Amino acid sequence: MSDKPSVLVLFAHPSVHRSEINAKMLRATRQVEGVTTVDLYHEYPDMRIDVDREQKRLLDHDVLVFMFPVYWYSTPSILKEWQDLVLEHGFAYGEGGTALQGKGFVCAASAGGPQHAYREQGYNHFTIRELFRPLEQTALLTGMRYLPPFMLFGARTAVDEDRLPSHLEGWQQMLRQLVAKEIDWDHDEATHTSNHLVEAAS
Amino acid sequence: MTLYFLQAFIYLLAAVIAVPLAKRLGLGSVLGYLIAGVVIGPITGLVGEETMTIQHFAEFGVVMMLFLVGLELQPKMLWEMRNRLIGLGGLQVVLSTALGWGLAQYAGLPWQSALTIGMIFSLSSTAIVLQTFSEKHLGNTDGGRSAFSVLLLQDIAVIPMLAFIPLLALPELISGASQGDHGHDISLVAGLPGWGYALVVITTIGLLIAAGHFFSRPLFRYVASSGLREIFTATALLLVIGIAALMGLVGLSPALGTFLAGVVLANSEFRHELESNIEPFKGLLLGLFFITVGAGVNFGVLWEQLGLVLALTAAVMLGKLVILYLLGWVFKVRGSDRWLFALSLAQAGEFGFVLLGYSQQNQVLSQDLVQMLSLVVALSMFLTPALFILFERVILPRYEQRSNEREADTIDEKGTVIIAGVGRFGQIINRMLTVNGIPTVVLDHEADQVENLRSIRVKSYFGDATRPDMLHTAGIEQAKALVVAIDEREAAVELVHYVKQTYPKVKVLARAYDRGHLYALRSAGADVVIKETLHSALALGSETLVALGNHPFRARQRRLAFEEVEREHDKLLYDSWLQGDEGDRFGTHYRDLFMQLEELLGEAMRGQDSERHSRAERSWTPPPKNYLDHWKKQG
């Protein structure tokens, strides 16, 4: 393991001052060694993303993490903007676009709805992994290995129900595993989330 | 003449030596002055006879202090403080008076004298306490605020006391009374019957309030329009001295008169300017006052009745301490703040001297009693710094230890912003901050401008923000940020330089006139500088692009790209500017760089139209038309 950070966490929350979960996730993430965290709305308050800088960051890390609250079954807009701008033809895909080959990709997200809402019989009709298919396919097209999302469901009540501490602990555990390259990247279609990877440990 | 110089020299020398020493030892300036007084007075005998005369003169420091306290008291603030002011302060005065009265009567004094003594010792020292609070930055703690409201009520309570004490005159003292100091004073009311006197007093106070309300503003505006700083200072002094004289003429306390005048002027936009003009005089005179208190300690009486004086002092301080602590408990002043509150006020005050003298003149207290009680007052004031040290070294560490174990509180206090200059630029900043709930203090030296703002209820003050003392009264020590938006370019640079040197913690944000000014402000240390025309010009520029038929989103992109290229080259240009001569900052090298920048800007703009991934707008560029061919080849 090199002493350079190997995991890049892109954090996106447009109203951090109201955040109950993600602000603490960010803080917990910053405590783990070998992880670089970037608060995108902080760095690009006018959404004007510096493409060169972001591409260089990608090259410097082995694992890419999107950390965000789920907005309409997807990422907050700045993460979409980031994808639109940074994952250029000739860099991330297409002719000569091999920069991301072999890196890892995972989303760490919080969703307001409870877990049972995210299934065929639930009111969201699809599992979270199905809803994140565009992200999964982006990873595949750019040659990245993909983990199902690391999720916190029922985020609006997580603090009251005291579920946050164990979630944060699990997330730090997961990050340490990513840094140490001890993560098992092979998952079948039936795996909805990757929380189970660290549940044993906590 | 030489003798006066010599005396003044001794007083000043004593202060210059003792006060910094006392501050370095953590004793506070008041104790330094007191010690200086004791050294030059009773110990070495360098000064003596004239102490009483000087003390009269120095009491003017108390007068000025009350004027300043009055200035701080906006009616709105008084209203917000009403609970503590009346409840806490009122109860403190009443209970302490009752206790002193009871003890004095128990000691065998007639009830009139006993009641007077109770009143005198219910007061605390505004001068020592406020001075110490501001030196130790305790004024914003809960304990500090509670103490302030009590002091305030005490200062107000002096008015009825002064009215009341003459009614308590003892017949046995009247017969043998000397005329006292008042004998040679000029008085307009001597010989008037009681109702006539009352009429004169009421008319005078009425006049004072009316004049303060209606005539102060035209007067200040007239003076401000001259633009002469020293004339404003003269006006401020004129005001205070005039009121003091008027009050003296009708037999009222000058301190109360100026206090009242201060309250009347508290809402004036000239408040801060008045404050910063009076402040240095107040400081010096108050210092002089404390020196004379020290010099006036009568060691003869002290040694004769040492035991009694010490016992009385201890009783006064302990009694007040207990009452204050209990009141702090009732009014929910918590933890270390309650101790600060009780310890800081457990002494008699400078009004004690005033009232003791007054009581003697009015035949309520005998001369012997006054002399001894003066010692008690002085001694308790002497001991006050020790109480502050006790608080800092013994009590505070305990509470801090305890509070350290808790999780840190989230800090959401926003802090104040001082805005220097509220022309069309500063005004917008001020509006933006205040609607976001951030308290601002606005300073401008255009009286018209300030008046305009005040008419739309923006808190603004007349004053020259480039004056250090003005910044001080505006609260630069507590401010989080200073926005410099004054028109004078050189003055703005100097202001930035001064503030960054003296208060490095204060964030300084400045408005620049042009690029050269921007660099000058930056090299003076400003944290953020914005060219005043940049953003509005860019906005209008991109509107022009839109008017010419460009898509608004693309116009915005071009504008942002323009800013970006500028920003990237800023450091180069700045460094080149720094290397230029003082007289020719924009030398040849700088001009070359500037031309280069123009070129790059053009390139960036042209790039936006090309198909390839250009530097400035690579964004949202689709993959090449034939990219799938490559894909198929691979697959």
Side-chain angles (χ1 to χ4, degrees):
Chain A
M1 189 170 68
S2 74
D3 42 343
K4 263 175 49 182
S6 60
V7 176
L8 174 66
V9 176
L10 298 182
F11 175 86
H13 195 310
S15 55
V16 170
H17 64 282
R18 280 192 280 135
S19 161
E20 292 175 7
I21 310 296
N22 283 271
K24 295 203 172 84
M25 284 285 278
L26 178 66
R27 204 179 307 156
T29 305
R30 286 190 168 136
Q31 287 164 359
V32 180
E33 239 175 275
V35 179
T36 305
T37 48
V38 177
D39 181 344
L40 286 177
Y41 279 107
H42 186 277
E43 249 174 61
Y44 305 114
D46 58 3
M47 298 273 261
R48 181 119 182 126
I49 286 163
D50 183 337
V51 177
D52 283 328
R53 185 171 176 209
E54 292 303 313
Q55 289 184 348
K56 169 132 199 336
R57 269 188 190 140
L58 280 174
L59 291 173
D60 288 345
H61 294 83
D62 301 323
V63 179
L64 172 63
V65 179
F66 281 4
M67 183 184 286
F68 57 94
V70 175
Y71 280 19
W72 282 115
Y73 310 111
S74 184
T75 66
S77 58
I78 202 168
L79 269 172
K80 179 66 168 65
E81 186 88 341
W82 185 94
Q83 296 166 57
D84 294 352
L85 295 175
V86 179
L87 303 179
E88 279 182 316
H89 179 265
F91 172 78
Y93 72 103
E95 198 172 349
T98 56
L100 304 180
Q101 296 278 342
K103 294 186 188 293
F105 176 77
V106 56
C107 290
S110 63
Q115 182 151 23
H116 59 74
Y118 287 90
R119 60 185 187 205
E120 203 179 332
Q121 300 80 13
Y123 64 78
N124 284 324
H125 295 299
F126 301 97
T127 68
I128 196 75
R129 180 159 182 191
E130 284 165 339
L131 291 167
F132 284 4
R133 282 293 192 225
L135 291 163
E136 186 166 351
Q137 170 55 21
T138 300
L140 291 181
L141 182 71
T142 57
M144 292 195 277
R145 288 173 297 173
Y146 183 80
L147 274 188
F150 185 86
M151 291 301 299
L152 178 73
F153 290 105
R156 301 297 296 156
T157 53
V159 172
D160 295 338
E161 291 161 13
D162 206 26
R163 286 186 282 123
L164 191 57
S166 64
H167 180 73
L168 294 177
E169 212 170 286
W171 173 240
Q172 289 186 325
Q173 174 74 18
M174 173 101 158
L175 279 171
R176 281 192 285 268
Q177 275 171 252
L178 286 169
V179 172
K181 306 198 183 349
E182 287 165 358
I183 212 79
D184 172 19
W185 289 95
D186 298 316
H187 296 277
D188 55 34
E189 284 292 306
T191 320
H192 301 316
T193 69
S194 58
N195 293 46
H196 64 279
L197 291 177
V198 291
E199 264 159 21
S202 61
Chain B
M1 193 68 194
T2 317
L3 190 67
Y4 284 117
F5 280 138
L6 207 58
Q7 295 287 1
F9 179 75
I10 292 169
Y11 274 95
L12 289 173
L13 183 69
V16 167
I17 294 174
V19 174
L21 201 64
K23 278 207 79 170
R24 187 165 298 178
L25 296 172
L27 302 175
S29 67
V30 175
L31 197 55
Y33 283 120
L34 287 170
I35 292 170
V38 173
V39 171
I40 61 172
I43 290 184
T44 58
L46 286 173
V47 298
E49 289 305 303
E50 75 297 335
T51 306
M52 284 308 284
T53 329
I54 293 180
Q55 189 158 358
H56 282 302
F57 178 60
E59 265 168 29
F60 199 54
V62 179
V63 170
M64 286 179 162
M65 182 184 72
L66 273 192
F67 180 66
L68 293 178
V69 169
L71 273 182
E72 290 288 335
L73 286 181
Q74 283 142 306
K76 198 181 104 199
M77 193 173 123
L78 278 175
W79 181 247
E80 276 167 12
M81 287 167 64
R82 63 193 182 279
N83 286 334
R84 289 207 161 164
L85 195 68
I86 296 166
L88 196 59
L91 277 175
Q92 189 276 142
V93 171
V94 169
L95 290 178
S96 304
T97 303
L99 182 73
W101 182 3
L103 286 177
Q105 200 155 3
Y106 178 76
L109 289 172
W111 71 267
Q112 291 96 328
S113 307
L115 174 57
T116 306
I117 291 172
M119 290 193 291
I120 289 171
F121 283 98
S122 72
L123 305 173
S124 311
S125 172
T126 311
I128 293 185
V129 178
L130 290 191
Q131 185 84 2
T132 314
F133 278 170
S134 84
E135 275 170 26
K136 296 185 188 289
H137 303 289
L138 291 167
N140 267 334
T141 61
D142 191 34
R145 277 194 298 268
S146 307
F148 181 70
S149 45
V150 170
L151 286 169
L152 210 58
L153 190 108
Q154 291 181 354
D155 291 342
I156 298 168
V158 174
I159 308 177
M161 287 183 190
L162 283 166
F164 193 55
I165 286 174
L167 304 178
L168 299 172
L170 293 173
E172 62 266 32
L173 288 176
I174 292 176
S175 51
S178 65
Q179 264 305 304
D181 291 331
H182 265 250
H184 51 263
D185 265 3
I186 313 164
S187 173
L188 288 180
V189 291
L192 277 183
W195 61 267
Y197 179 63
L199 201 65
V200 169
V201 169
I202 291 167
T203 317
T204 311
I205 290 178
L207 269 176
L208 183 66
I209 294 173
H213 201 77
F214 295 109
F215 298 125
S216 65
R217 180 172 297 187
L219 172 69
F220 288 137
R221 288 176 59 81
Y222 168 71
V223 175
S225 67
S226 78
L228 289 170
R229 204 173 270 181
E230 60 276 17
I231 289 301
F232 205 100
T233 309
T235 313
L237 279 177
L238 172 82
L239 201 74
V240 176
I241 292 177
I243 293 161
L246 178 68
M247 289 296 137
L249 284 178
V250 301
L252 285 178
S253 152
L256 293 166
T258 50
F259 173 74
L260 209 59
V263 176
V264 174
L265 295 174
N267 268 329
S268 157
E269 63 263 45
F270 298 95
R271 180 183 126 202
H272 282 313
E273 183 77 14
L274 274 172
E275 263 184 86
S276 58
N277 278 310
I278 295 289
E279 187 87 46
F281 294 102
K282 177 214 83 173
L284 256 184
L285 286 176
L286 217 50
L288 193 60
F289 177 74
F290 290 127
I291 295 184
T292 58
V293 169
V297 170
N298 189 331
F299 271 57
V301 178
L302 183 64
W303 296 137
E304 253 168 56
Q305 301 181 308
L306 185 64
L308 185 59
V309 170
L310 286 180
L312 281 177
T313 309
V316 166
M317 297 184 84
L318 202 66
K320 294 189 80 167
L321 186 68
V322 170
I323 289 175
L324 286 161
Y325 190 84
L326 289 177
L327 283 175
W329 179 68
V330 172
F331 281 82
K332 300 196 173 67
V333 183
R334 286 175 211 288
S336 65
D337 279 319
R338 194 190 305 159
W339 278 107
L340 174 66
F341 170 68
L343 286 170
S344 65
L345 296 177
Q347 82 288 98
E350 55 279 349
F351 271 119
F353 296 118
V354 178
L355 286 182
L356 280 170
Y358 187 72
S359 307
Q360 192 186 337
Q361 283 155 29
N362 284 286
Q363 292 85 37
V364 185
L365 297 175
S366 70
Q367 197 188 345
D368 295 344
L369 204 54
V370 166
Q371 204 156 41
M372 192 185 61
L373 292 178
S374 295
L375 282 175
V376 174
V377 173
L379 201 58
S380 74
M381 285 166 77
F382 253 113
L383 290 173
T384 303
L387 294 184
F388 273 105
I389 292 168
L390 175 75
F391 172 75
E392 268 185 352
R393 306 256 164 95
V394 180
I395 291 168
L396 204 55
R398 286 194 194 170
Y399 282 92
E400 268 171 1
Q401 230 165 22
R402 218 179 292 169
S403 63
N404 277 350
E405 287 155 20
R406 278 188 328 173
E407 201 180 326
D409 292 331
T410 44
I411 300 156
D412 55 3
E413 209 172 312
K414 280 174 181 145
T416 331
V417 177
I418 297 176
I419 300 178
V422 275
R424 55 207 176 105
F425 197 88
Q427 273 182 45
I428 298 172
I429 300 167
N430 183 56
R431 273 214 323 270
M432 179 159 174
L433 294 177
T434 46
V435 296
N436 277 294
I438 294 162
T440 59
V441 176
V442 162
L443 301 173
D444 202 295
H445 67 163
E446 291 278 336
D448 289 328
Q449 194 68 266
V450 172
E451 187 143 330
N452 284 342
L453 278 175
R454 286 175 78 86
S455 68
I456 53 166
R457 298 221 187 100
V458 175
K459 220 183 0 171
S460 12
Y461 299 101
F462 169 83
D464 183 351
T466 56
R467 282 176 61 180
D469 49 354
M470 192 70 210
L471 284 170
H472 171 78
T473 43
I476 188 88
E477 283 94 345
Q478 287 87 40
K480 279 261 171 70
L482 167 74
V483 176
V484 179
I486 54 178
D487 285 334
E488 299 77 9
R489 281 178 248 174
E490 283 304 312
V493 175
E494 270 168 42
L495 175 61
V496 168
H497 185 74
Y498 168 74
V499 172
K500 277 323 265 189
Q501 291 287 312
T502 323
Y503 310 98
K505 274 193 206 148
V506 177
K507 286 251 181 264
V508 174
L509 304 98
R511 178 266 308 252
Y513 176 78
D514 58 13
R515 192 179 285 272
H517 192 218
L518 179 135
Y519 292 157
L521 286 164
R522 194 188 294 171
S523 66
D527 297 283
V528 176
V529 190
I530 299 283
K531 260 187 288 174
E532 62 178 341
T533 50
L534 178 70
H535 291 286
S536 46
L538 286 173
L540 194 58
S542 84
E543 288 298 327
T544 312
L545 287 177
V546 174
L548 294 174
N550 284 281
H551 190 283
F553 188 68
R554 209 172 81 177
R556 177 175 173 273
Q557 287 310 117
R558 288 178 171 217
R559 173 185 159 186
L560 291 173
F562 187 98
E563 272 189 86
E564 217 158 79
V565 176
E566 279 238 331
R567 208 178 309 135
E568 279 167 15
H569 280 75
D570 189 59
K571 195 174 167 350
L572 260 176
L573 282 167
Y574 177 53
D575 289 342
S576 164
W577 178 87
L578 273 182
Q579 279 156 20
D581 297 331
E582 194 65 48
D584 181 30
R585 290 283 199 194
F586 301 98
T588 15
H589 185 53
Y590 180 90
R591 270 195 293 274
D592 290 346
L593 280 168
F594 201 80
M595 299 292 283
Q596 202 181 315
L597 171 69
E598 292 290 299
E599 198 116 317
L600 275 163
L601 281 169
E603 199 177 293
M605 295 300 123
R606 277 192 300 279
Q608 298 211 310
D609 292 329
S610 73
E611 260 291 305
R612 66 188 171 87
H613 287 201
S614 73
R615 230 193 102 276
E617 196 206 329
R618 61 207 299 183
S619 333
W620 306 284
T621 316
K625 283 178 176 143
N626 59 347
Y627 92 106
L628 274 179
D629 303 343
H630 167 76
W631 199 260
K632 278 173 201 144
K633 251 185 275 163
Q634 265 194 339

